[in-house]
């Protein structure tokens, strides 16, 4: 086969003459009858007196064109090369990718192994069977074979498990315990999101800020490449290997048939065994077929994305970002020193108020304790966030010359971090006053948790200034995951219910309309209310808990505990006054009541 590009004129070799070579060709620009020797340029002629090589007879016709050569150009007609230009004769070359893509792009992984394939199929099967009825321990059961598929793919690619990868993996699996323990939807959503980020970090193994932030969602971009990788690998491995995989499929099919046949016989012979099978085997129907099929595809796609990432992850740490231009000492330090002075004045006022100056401040402002607290918390939360942004920018533009520069940076930013911690404590104190006046809600417990985490981030920054910032990116992200895990384990709905019950015992004030919207996690705390407040608070929760028939793998511990409490002490459906239509949230004693169950207009 010729090495010339398609459509290029082929060299015409001499025919019938011994000793000639096919490399001799007539120049495209030469006149008829002129010859060009091998290696000569256009216009060069043979030496004087020497016979030209391979000269055709004068009466010979034109040489026969090869079969693949285009038609000859008629007299007066422009050749295709002249019409279209030289570019039509050159193969198109795409532009090179950006430098950061070239640096971070992984090498092509080895074909997928059969062990990884079986783990992926197990993930899809469990997702299709277990995830259609709700969230509980089933999420962890689906994640385990997906993690196994990633481990097998990484091991086949020669990757080793490092300490931080193990930390991310264990943390991600621990976060998946939240749906199994708590019935509330919002801690479950946060836990699932954090678990996905932790699992992605475990597969990438990054350590820089850029790598950690991009690695949190990197596995999502590998879903489609993972499917292509699996298809190509299966095609390569299936060629000539039918004797290896066909017995496995045949054996599995026989085992499934035996289980179905004898399981049905034993279930018909014994009612206890039938009940056991009913509780263990997921219930499926034809109408649920499309849903189960979609969940199977999603499970397989997610597991393939994880396996593809483990085999060849993107190396985000290799993407280098230019450091900020260092500023002069005065230019850099003066704004921060002014900011430190402002923080110090504000904190001095806060300490005065904290140690007995509330009455004077409130008299001058005309605000109540609750109004004073509500007015300041959100501003202080915003100030904490902006302070972290200022610290990040200050580190980017900090002077880096001599040791005196490093000392100046540590002194100025260390002072700012310490003052920020006092602002965090002030914000939490204001939230405590706010909750004491109005009660605890989901929003208030959430923002208080965020403020606590921001304070922890400030402490980590201070520690990085002393011990070095090499672990700071991973420590900050790990603290966020630990905060989400603690937030789910403490059961925020139960915490809200407990605080409102204590507030009712102390003040006789309670918002039953709000408590009715809590999840089953709040039932043990609300069970401590006296009647009629207890039945009013639990009426709608009982309808949701007792009316559901979720299987064991989709039932959380909080829901199971709530069912036990409500079974021991059922809700009194007779509680109500005229206008209370079986627990209508808009009227009757189940709106806002005092300790004796009387309707209160407002409080």
């Amino acid at each position: 086969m010729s090495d010339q590009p398609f459509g290029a004129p082929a060299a015409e070799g001499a025919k019938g003459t011994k000793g000639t070579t096919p490399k001799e060709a007539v120049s495209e620009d030469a006149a008829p009858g002129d010859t060009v020797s091998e290696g000569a340029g256009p216009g060069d002629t043979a030496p004087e007196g020497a016979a030209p090589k391979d000269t055709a007879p004068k009466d010979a016709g034109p040489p026969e064109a090869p079969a693949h050569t285009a038609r000859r150009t008629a007299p007066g007609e422009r050749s295709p090369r002249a019409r279209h230009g030289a570019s039509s004769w050159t193969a198109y070359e795409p532009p090179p990718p950006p430098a950061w893509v070239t640096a971070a792009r992984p090498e092509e992984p080895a074909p997928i192994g059969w062990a990884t394939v079986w783990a992926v199929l197990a993930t899809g099967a469990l997702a299709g069977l277990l995830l259609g009825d709700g969230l509980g321990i089933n999420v962890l059961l689906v994640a385990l074979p997906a993690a196994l598929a990633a481990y097998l793919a990484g091991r086949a690619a020669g990757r080793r498990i490092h300490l931080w990868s193990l930390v991310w993996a264990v943390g991600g699996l621990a976060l998946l315990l939240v749906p199994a323990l708590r019935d509330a939807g919002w801690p479950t959503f946060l836990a699932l999101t954090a678990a996905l980020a932790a699992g992605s970090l475990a597969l990438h193994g990054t350590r820089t800020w850029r790598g950690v932030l991009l690695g949190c969602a990197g596995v999502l971009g590998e879903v489609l490449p993972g499917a292509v990788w699996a298809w190509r690998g299966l095609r390569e491995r299936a060629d000539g290997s039918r004797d290896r995989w066909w017995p496995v499929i045949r054996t599995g099919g026989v085992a499934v048939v035996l289980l179905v046949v004898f399981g049905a016989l034993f279930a018909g012979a014994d009612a206890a065994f039938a009940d056991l099978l009913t509780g263990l085997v997921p219930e499926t129907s034809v109408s649920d077929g499309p849903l189960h099929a979609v969940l199977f595809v999603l499970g397989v796609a997610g597991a393939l994305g994880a396996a593809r990432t483990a085999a060849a992850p993107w190396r985000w740490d290799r993407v280098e970002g230019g450091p900020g231009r260092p500023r002069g000492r005065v230019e850099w330090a003066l704004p921060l020193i002014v900011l430190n002075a402002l923080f110090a004045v504000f904190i001095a006022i806060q300490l005065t108020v904290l140690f007995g100056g509330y009455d004077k401040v409130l008299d001058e402002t005309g605000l109540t304790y609750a109004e004073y607290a509500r007015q300041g918390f959100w501003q202080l939360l915003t100030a904490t966030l902006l302070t972290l942004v200022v610290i990040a920018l200050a580190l980017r533009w900090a002077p880096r010359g001599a040791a005196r520069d490093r000392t100046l940076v540590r002194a100025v930013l260390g002072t700012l971090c310490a003052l920020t911690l006092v602002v965090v404590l002030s914000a939490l104190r204001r939230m405590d006053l706010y909750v004491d006046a109005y009660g605890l809600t989901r929003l208030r417990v959430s923002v208080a948790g965020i403020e606590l985490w921001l304070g922890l981030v400030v402490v980590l920054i201070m520690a990085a200034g002393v011990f070095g910032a090499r672990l700071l990116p991973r420590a900050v992200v790990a603290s966020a995951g630990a905060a989400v895990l603690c937030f789910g384990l403490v059961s925020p709905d139960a915490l809200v219910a407990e605080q409102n019950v204590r507030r009712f015992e102390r003040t006789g004030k309670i918002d039953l309309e709000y408590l009715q919207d809590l999840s089953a996690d709040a039932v043990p705390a609300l069970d401590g209310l006296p009647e009629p407040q207890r039945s009013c608070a639990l009426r709608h929760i009982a309808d949701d808990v007792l009316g559901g028939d979720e299987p064991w793998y989709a039932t959380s511990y909080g829901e199971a505990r709530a069912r036990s409490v409500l079974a021991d002490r059922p809700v009194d459906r007779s509680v109500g006054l005229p206008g209370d239509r079986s627990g209508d949230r808009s009227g009757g004693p189940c709106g806002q009541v005092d300790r004796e169950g009387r309707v209160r207009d407002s409080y």
Side-chain angles (χ1 to χ4, degrees):
M1 181 178 294
S2 174
D3 294 333
Q4 295 173 329
F6 178 77
E12 297 176 0
K15 299 170 59 178
T17 304
K18 185 177 180 181
T20 58
T21 60
K23 295 182 180 179
E24 298 170 356
V26 177
S27 173
E28 186 181 57
D29 299 329
D34 295 340
T35 60
V36 179
S37 63
E38 181 180 355
D44 295 339
T45 58
E48 184 178 359
K53 294 182 180 181
D54 194 27
T55 304
K58 294 183 179 180
D59 57 348
E64 182 180 356
H68 64 275
T69 306
R71 68 180 180 84
R72 298 181 62 85
T73 305
E77 182 181 359
R78 300 176 64 187
S79 65
R81 183 180 181 89
R83 288 197 306 267
H84 301 290
S87 61
S88 62
W89 295 74
T90 305
Y92 172 75
E93 295 183 2
W100 67 269
V101 174
T102 304
R105 176 181 293 169
E107 298 179 356
E108 190 65 25
I112 188 172
W114 285 114
T116 305
V117 171
W118 290 117
V120 168
L121 293 178
T123 304
L126 289 177
L129 292 175
L130 303 181
L131 294 183
D133 299 311
L135 298 179
I137 193 65
N138 50 3
V139 181
L140 182 60
L141 296 178
V142 172
L144 288 177
L148 178 61
Y151 168 74
L152 294 173
R155 188 181 65 175
R159 297 186 65 194
R160 295 180 300 172
I161 299 179
H162 298 281
L163 176 61
W164 273 100
S165 297
L166 188 61
V167 170
W168 297 126
V170 173
L173 294 177
L175 285 164
L176 295 181
L177 290 175
V178 174
L181 298 175
R182 302 302 172 214
D183 181 63
W186 53 305
T188 296
F189 172 77
L190 292 176
L192 293 178
T193 304
L196 177 63
S200 183
L201 288 174
L203 300 176
H204 284 85
T206 56
R207 63 187 64 185
T208 63
W209 279 112
R210 185 177 289 103
V212 168
L213 295 179
L214 294 176
C216 286
V219 70
L220 297 178
E222 295 297 317
V223 173
L224 184 58
V228 176
W229 170 63
W231 174 253
R232 293 176 178 174
L234 289 177
R235 289 185 59 182
E236 293 180 9
R237 294 186 178 276
D239 294 340
S241 60
R242 186 176 183 274
D243 295 338
R244 291 200 299 264
W245 57 266
W246 175 244
V248 177
I249 296 179
R250 184 174 60 234
T251 303
V254 172
V256 170
V257 171
L258 293 176
L259 286 176
V260 171
V261 172
F262 284 94
L265 291 175
F266 290 149
D270 187 81
F273 186 78
D275 292 338
L276 177 63
L277 286 183
T278 302
L280 293 178
V281 180
E283 297 182 3
T284 58
S285 61
V286 177
S287 60
D288 296 333
L291 175 62
H292 293 297
V294 170
L295 292 174
F296 172 81
V297 172
L298 292 178
V300 169
L304 286 177
R308 173 66 169 75
T309 305
W314 282 73
R315 302 297 185 181
W316 300 114
D317 288 341
R318 298 176 181 174
V319 180
E320 298 181 357
R325 183 172 65 89
R327 309 291 178 174
R329 295 176 185 173
V330 176
E331 180 185 3
W332 179 86
L334 183 59
L336 295 177
I337 293 175
V338 173
L339 182 61
N340 285 343
L342 179 62
F343 269 62
V345 172
F346 176 80
I347 290 171
I349 296 176
Q350 297 304 300
L351 293 177
T352 303
V353 174
L354 184 62
F355 292 105
Y358 273 114
D359 295 336
K360 181 180 179 180
V361 173
L362 297 180
D363 291 340
E364 293 178 355
T365 59
L367 300 175
T368 63
Y369 281 101
E371 292 172 343
Y372 181 75
R374 179 172 56 184
Q375 184 185 37
F377 174 79
W378 296 103
Q379 288 84 345
L380 296 180
L381 177 62
T382 305
T384 306
L385 289 171
L386 292 179
T387 302
L388 293 176
V389 175
V390 169
I391 293 173
L393 296 177
L395 288 173
R396 179 175 177 82
W397 293 323
R400 309 182 187 93
R404 296 176 58 186
D405 293 332
R406 292 191 293 271
T407 303
L408 176 65
V409 170
R410 290 180 179 178
V412 174
L413 294 184
T415 303
L416 181 58
C417 289
L419 296 175
T420 304
L421 287 178
V422 181
V423 172
V424 170
L425 294 177
S426 177
L428 293 175
R429 174 57 181 163
R430 288 178 181 243
M431 176 56 70
D432 183 63
L433 293 174
Y434 192 20
V435 170
D436 185 67
Y438 292 101
L440 189 63
T441 62
R442 289 173 169 175
L443 177 61
R444 293 162 194 167
V445 71
S446 299
V447 295
I450 293 175
E451 186 71 26
L452 283 172
W453 176 69
L454 292 177
L456 178 58
V457 171
V458 173
V459 173
L460 292 175
I461 294 175
M462 296 176 69
V466 177
F467 302 104
R470 187 174 62 91
L471 299 177
L472 182 60
R474 289 176 287 185
V476 170
V477 177
S479 68
V484 172
L485 178 60
C486 294
F487 186 73
L489 294 181
V490 299
S491 184
D493 275 16
L495 192 63
V496 169
E498 292 173 0
Q499 197 278 337
N500 280 275
V501 169
R502 289 196 301 267
R503 177 172 172 267
F504 173 74
E505 295 173 350
R506 187 176 66 254
T507 64
K509 299 177 182 180
I510 191 169
D511 188 353
L512 294 176
E513 185 176 359
Y514 180 82
L515 297 179
Q516 289 172 352
D517 291 328
L518 298 179
S519 65
D521 299 331
V523 169
L526 297 178
D527 186 58
L529 287 171
E531 293 291 354
Q533 288 84 4
R534 175 185 177 275
S535 294
C536 289
L538 293 176
R539 179 171 300 177
H540 296 283
I541 301 177
D543 293 339
D544 295 336
V545 172
L546 299 178
D549 56 348
E550 292 84 2
W552 62 272
Y553 51 81
T555 302
S556 64
Y557 170 76
E559 186 176 357
R561 187 181 179 189
R563 287 179 181 175
S564 176
V565 171
L566 294 174
D568 294 339
R569 295 183 60 194
V571 172
D572 187 2
R573 301 283 177 176
S574 63
V575 172
L577 292 176
D580 178 25
R581 297 182 297 275
S582 299
D584 185 2
R585 304 184 189 187
S586 61
C590 294
Q592 296 174 346
V593 299
D594 60 10
R595 188 184 299 271
E596 289 76 24
R598 295 172 300 188
V599 179
R600 299 173 60 92
D601 296 333
S602 62
Y603 54 79

